[in-house]
Amino acid sequence: MAPLAANGPKWPGTLLYVPVLYGLGWLGARPCALLFPHWRPDQVDLAGLVLSLALLLISLPIRLRRVWGAEHPWQGLGLAMPIHLAAKAWLRGALKGLFLLALVVLVLVLAGQARWLGELNTALLLNAIALMLGVGFAEELLFRGWLWGELELELGSNRALWLQAAIFALLHPWYRAPGLEAIGLLGGLTLLGLALALQRRADDGALWGSIGLHGWLVGGWFLAQKGLLQISPAAPGWWVGPGGADINPIGGLIGWIGLGLLLWVRRRWWPRHLSQKPETAELSLVISEDNNGPGANPPT
């Protein structure tokens, strides 16, 4: 999580940092429409997002050194660590994502609101992998990596925990859903933001578990909806989630129940257990994993 820096960030810099990067990426991608006239507008926009992500990766270490006082920025973000520890954290998160997906699919099939098709092809798999890697990594780096750390510097750990989840939810297009379904989607996204943050806490500050959980939810549900399942159009949105032909189960009661179970399992991680800087936290994780030292917080 965030370093214990003496000087917190200036709020204008925090608020403007990502919008400025997004704007630069959007402007930088406009020439693509002239260079590649066959590209659709959404492809040009995607190029802008990729450019914005590249700018984030380049500028983030500089900001963390200047604002957080982090000597090792990628450790402060929970990314730099021995590969076997990163893989274990990712796998723990991925398994929880698979559990949530399996719960939604099982309930829908048993309730007669979905039929199992089991259809897969190369194009679907490649799209799912791209979503898993792209959305999972980019959003976790942004929200559970950078944003949570910035908020902790100003507000403290637990208030920052709630605020990062609220911002994460508000910045998604929940408002496009009709009526109460929009409220359900906003609440589900908030629960997801909390679950992803608690996953990082349970992993002693490693971000890879959150990336695995988030990535599998996005990529796995894409596979389920586009090829593995045929969901009945008569299934109510409050139950399966809003979206019509493109359902988001996070906003339905099934998704709320699954996320609630995950938060209950993670209840011991609501208080902040780590008081040291991320570099020290990563070292304690290495010791606890490799040497099974005393006082370790075993991930669950």
Side-chain angles (χ1 to χ4, degrees):
M1 279 74 81
L4 303 178
N7 297 317
K10 304 288 187 181
W11 276 114
T14 302
L15 295 175
L16 293 175
Y17 176 57
V18 170
V20 167
L21 293 181
Y22 177 80
L24 290 174
W26 186 88
L27 288 172
R30 295 310 98 187
C32 292
L34 299 175
L35 296 173
F36 307 101
H38 60 283
W39 278 21
R40 302 186 309 271
D42 62 302
Q43 291 176 309
V44 177
D45 290 340
L46 179 60
L49 289 175
V50 172
L51 181 56
S52 297
L53 178 60
L55 292 173
L56 178 69
L57 293 174
I58 293 170
S59 64
L60 203 51
I62 300 172
R63 179 167 179 83
L64 264 63
R65 288 190 180 98
R66 294 182 60 184
V67 176
W68 293 20
E71 296 180 5
H72 306 286
W74 297 115
Q75 289 181 8
L77 291 166
L79 292 175
M81 61 184 57
I83 189 169
H84 70 284
L85 298 182
K88 286 180 180 180
W90 184 90
L91 182 60
R92 286 191 292 266
L95 289 174
K96 291 173 180 65
L98 285 172
F99 162 76
L100 291 174
L101 289 173
L103 176 67
V104 172
V105 170
L106 183 63
V107 170
L108 289 177
V109 172
L110 292 179
Q113 294 168 332
R115 183 168 64 91
W116 182 260
L117 297 177
E119 296 178 359
L120 286 178
N121 56 52
T122 303
L124 282 177
L125 286 173
L126 290 177
N127 271 286
I129 292 172
L131 287 171
M132 185 184 302
L133 298 178
V135 175
F137 177 81
E139 291 201 356
E140 289 312 296
L141 176 63
L142 183 60
F143 290 102
R144 256 62 60 184
W146 166 76
L147 178 63
W148 193 8
E150 297 270 325
L151 294 174
E152 276 196 344
L153 289 174
E154 290 288 342
L155 303 174
S157 178
N158 288 324
R159 281 184 292 180
L161 171 70
W162 286 92
L163 187 54
Q164 63 81 29
I167 294 173
F168 170 74
L170 288 169
L171 291 181
H172 283 75
W174 57 274
Y175 45 82
R176 296 179 184 174
L180 291 177
E181 291 183 0
I183 304 302
L185 185 54
L186 181 62
L189 287 164
T190 303
L191 293 176
L192 177 59
L194 290 171
L196 290 165
L198 294 182
Q199 178 68 44
R200 186 177 177 194
R201 277 190 177 172
D203 289 330
D204 281 341
L207 194 61
W208 293 105
S210 304
I211 293 172
L213 172 56
H214 196 162
W216 268 102
L217 286 178
V218 175
W221 181 248
F222 173 83
L223 283 180
Q225 186 167 232
K226 301 299 182 182
L228 299 179
L229 287 181
Q230 183 180 47
I231 301 174
S232 170
W238 64 266
W239 173 243
V240 299
D246 193 18
I247 291 171
N248 189 337
I250 294 298
L253 183 58
I254 305 174
W256 276 54
I257 292 171
L259 289 169
L261 289 173
L262 186 56
L263 289 173
W264 181 80
V265 169
R266 286 277 180 251
R267 64 193 182 279
R268 61 176 293 202
W269 298 102
W270 282 104
R272 184 177 180 181
H273 285 258
L274 297 176
S275 59
Q276 63 265 56
K277 291 186 178 182
E279 295 91 336
T280 310
E282 189 224 354
L283 179 60
S284 70
L285 178 60
V286 173
I287 294 173
S288 64
E289 288 279 355
D290 289 348
N291 299 329
N292 195 27
N297 290 321
T300 57

